[in-house]
Amino acid sequence: MSASILLQVNGKAHAFALPRETPLIYVLRNDLELNGPKFGCGLGECGACTVLLDGVAARSCVTTLGTAEGRAVTTLEGLGTPDKPHKVQAAFIAAQAAQCGYCLNGMIMTTVALLARNPAPSEEEARAALRYNLCRCGTHVEILRAVLAAAEGGTTP
Ligand code: FES
């Protein structure tokens, strides 16, 4: 029997009797029904599963439950609400920066982490921050526009 592991997710405490090596994304999606993080590659390479760990972007497919213990986990659901979206979410909506939308969780979470450490990134800095988040539809132009609009505090690209 696994010892109980405590997680703080979107400001709420949860306890899990699961192996410490359980991938965080399984717990978020399967146990907490937080479906913002998407399962893409499962190898830490595509970015679809990105969450924030103590405000830093982390890939929840290769982050274990044990690693996340005692740290603040934030998912897409913890940023804003449909009525009151986070400024990055609002900017992505205004820029219509989705085609299939599968990568957007990672794009948005990575952007939130970027703006927390660099509130006014240049276009080059924004490109560099998102370079390991993959989008197979090719909406990079709209995504970049949304990132820069969010950095300016507005939602109009
Ligand atoms: Fe985690 Fe691709 S699903 S990086």
Side-chain angles (χ1 to χ4, degrees), residues 10-31:
N10 298 334
K12 288 188 190 158
H14 302 272
F16 298 96
L18 291 169
R20 294 182 67 78
E21 60 273 12
T22 304
L24 179 59
I25 191 169
Y26 292 175
V27 176
L28 296 175
R29 290 182 59 89
N30 300 343
D31 295 278

Side-chain angles (χ1 to χ4, degrees), residues 25 38-50 59-62:
I25 191 169
K38 299 289 184 281
F39 190 93
C41 64
L43 299 168
E45 294 181 356
C46 74
C49 65
T50 302
R59 301 200 165 188
S60 62
C61 69
V62 290

